Amino acid sequence: MIGYLLSFIILGSVVYSVFAGTPAEISNAVISSGADAVSLVLTLAGSMAVWGGIMKIAERSGITDGLTKILRPFLKLIFRGLKKDSEALRAIAMNVSANLMGLGNAATPLGIEAMRALEREENPGEVATLNMIKLAVMNACSAEIIPATVAALRAEAGSSAPLEILPCVLLVSFASLAVALTVAEVLNIGRKNEL
Amino acid sequence: MSFSVFAVPIIVALIFGWGLYKKVNILDAFIEGARENLKTAVGLLPTLTLLMLGVGMFRSSGALDAITRLLSPITDALGFPSECLPLTLLRPVSGSGALAILKNILAENGPDSFAGRVASVLMGSTETTFYTIAVYFAATKVKKSRHALPSALAGDITAFLLSSLAVRIFLGFTVR
């Protein structure tokens, strides 16, 4: 899908450049795009390595586990109807804390584990339950305490304060998460028998 | 402002301090985490090369500017910087593509410009929605994801509408 989209964009750009008289500019873009990609990855790699290292310390020292315990009661309000010692709820809490800590590598496998646990506990067949929808939706909305990747790109572009966006990111993340979960809940009204 | 300046050093200090207190092998842990993420970053490179080619050609041909100008009456009415429009369109579909566009917006407008800030907030507060929903349901036997995608997209639209407002509130009304 991305392949088709990009081919279309590239063909369109070439056609446009013929009419707009920008063939020299587009040639330069072709030549420099590889170097641009490498420099982008270098910027990202540096910051990702630093945060990966720091967050691994957090994981091993039990900070992620602690966060999981703190989050459980709140998550119980969102993911309702699960058993008291629910395996799924435990996995969901771990998934959410990994997301908050920016541990993308750890969060996805935990989230998938949580999804499978929900499937075992709620036995939905081929139709998703509300809790499954909520878990997928939560992961499709970013909730990171420190937006490290964006900050690294800002620093590289010469920002005087790469992290000044932090309060904005927190506000927008949680507002969009709240809206997404509310919509998930509202669209489920009248289908309570499907959990 | 002061809050965001202290957030990172405090979090880093807490993590290292707690790690020492819990007798974690700091060196081992850090190196393992750094190695994992370096692998991920390098793994992004082939995809990003293609995306940089597409985004670079699109921008340098002048087509991106033309589309941005065409849609600017709508975005202006919403108080949204039209330069960020390509980012909103690509963000839910492709994470690497969004990174390539963000890098471009930051280079063109400056990271501390209104557009640069809004693009950063948008990137930091959203995810690759389509990919995430697909991956999560692919792990189960569920075939009907029902309203999962519409709900997640409602979140994306909220982020899109709120990002410029949040930048105005927290980083000042006098933009640019």
Side-chain angles (χ1 to χ4, degrees), chain A residues 1-3 5-6 9-10 12-14 16-17 20 22 25-27 29-31 33-34 36-41 43-58 60-63 95 99 101-102 105 107-112 115-116 119 124-130 132-133 135-137 139-147 149-150 153-154 156-173 175-177 179-181 183-185 187-188 191 194-195, chain B residues 1 3-5 7-8 11-12 14-16 18-20 22 24-38 40-42 44-45 47-64 66 69 90-91 93-94 96 99-100 102-103 106-107 110-113 116-117 119-133 135-156 158-160 162-163 166-171:
Chain A
M1 149 100 171
I2 291 286
L5 187 69
L6 274 168
I9 287 174
I10 287 172
S13 304
V14 172
Y16 186 88
S17 78
T22 53
E25 284 86 342
I26 208 168
S27 306
V30 175
I31 291 160
S33 64
D36 283 349
V38 172
S39 87
L40 174 57
V41 164
T43 310
L44 292 179
S47 127
M48 282 169 72
V50 169
W51 285 104
I54 293 172
M55 290 310 174
K56 187 60 86 178
I57 299 173
R60 293 222 177 133
S61 60
I63 293 180
N95 165 253
N99 272 326
M101 305 283 283
N105 287 333
T108 308
L110 285 169
I112 286 172
M115 206 70 178
R116 292 215 174 105
E119 191 177 29
E126 291 192 346
V127 183
T129 65
L130 180 58
M132 293 174 105
I133 291 172
L135 179 61
V137 164
N139 278 277
C141 293
S142 159
E144 231 180 305
I145 294 173
I146 299 172
T149 307
V150 177
L153 281 174
R154 290 171 56 77
E156 214 249 346
S159 170
S160 58
L163 271 167
E164 66 177 4
I165 52 154
L166 204 126
C168 302
V169 170
L170 286 178
L171 174 79
V172 176
S173 298
S176 64
L177 180 63
V179 168
L181 286 176
V183 171
E185 195 87 52
L187 290 180
N188 202 60
R191 306 186 63 164
E194 287 177 43
L195 288 164
Chain B
M1 184 65 197
F3 157 68
S4 46
V5 169
V8 170
I11 289 174
V12 172
L14 278 177
I15 291 173
F16 273 90
W18 190 250
L20 281 176
K22 284 282 173 182
V24 171
N25 186 332
I26 302 279
L27 182 70
D28 261 15
F30 190 95
I31 288 174
E32 197 195 313
R35 181 177 294 127
E36 270 175 24
N37 274 11
L38 276 174
T40 312
V42 173
L44 281 173
L45 187 51
T47 323
L48 267 178
T49 311
L50 174 60
L51 288 157
M52 283 309 267
L53 179 68
V55 171
M57 287 177 78
F58 192 51
R59 187 177 54 90
S60 60
S61 70
L64 181 60
R69 245 178 287 126
L90 201 55
R91 182 66 180 121
V93 187
S94 162
S96 314
L99 273 178
L102 174 66
K103 187 185 155 80
L106 295 179
D112 300 328
S113 65
R117 284 168 166 173
S120 307
V121 172
L122 204 54
M123 184 73 191
S125 56
T126 49
E127 261 294 334
T128 319
T129 306
F130 285 91
Y131 171 80
T132 310
I133 301 280
V135 166
Y136 271 68
F137 281 105
T140 67
K141 291 188 196 71
V142 168
K143 292 214 172 65
K144 286 191 180 133
S145 62
R146 290 169 61 207
H147 53 282
L149 192 59
S151 311
L153 287 176
D156 285 344
T158 310
F160 164 69
L162 262 184
S163 54
V167 168
R168 280 171 218 268
I169 291 172
F170 285 104
L171 302 172

Side-chain angles (χ1 to χ4, degrees), chain A residues 28-116:
Chain A
N28 288 340
V30 175
I31 291 160
S32 64
S33 64
D36 283 349
V38 172
S39 87
L40 174 57
V41 164
L42 278 180
T43 310
L44 292 179
S47 127
M48 282 169 72
V50 169
W51 285 104
I54 293 172
M55 290 310 174
K56 187 60 86 178
I57 299 173
E59 208 181 315
R60 293 222 177 133
S61 60
I63 293 180
T64 322
D65 291 343
L67 199 56
T68 304
K69 279 201 195 92
I70 297 170
L71 287 172
R72 268 184 80 138
F74 296 101
L75 290 170
K76 249 186 198 159
L77 300 175
I78 298 173
F79 297 92
R80 294 185 301 269
L82 295 171
K83 281 178 302 195
K84 215 177 174 192
D85 55 345
S86 165
E87 185 75 20
L89 190 66
R90 202 182 58 89
I92 291 168
M94 284 166 73
N95 165 253
V96 173
S97 21
N99 272 326
L100 284 172
M101 305 283 283
L103 296 162
N105 287 333
T108 308
L110 285 169
I112 286 172
E113 196 190 312
M115 206 70 178
R116 292 215 174 105

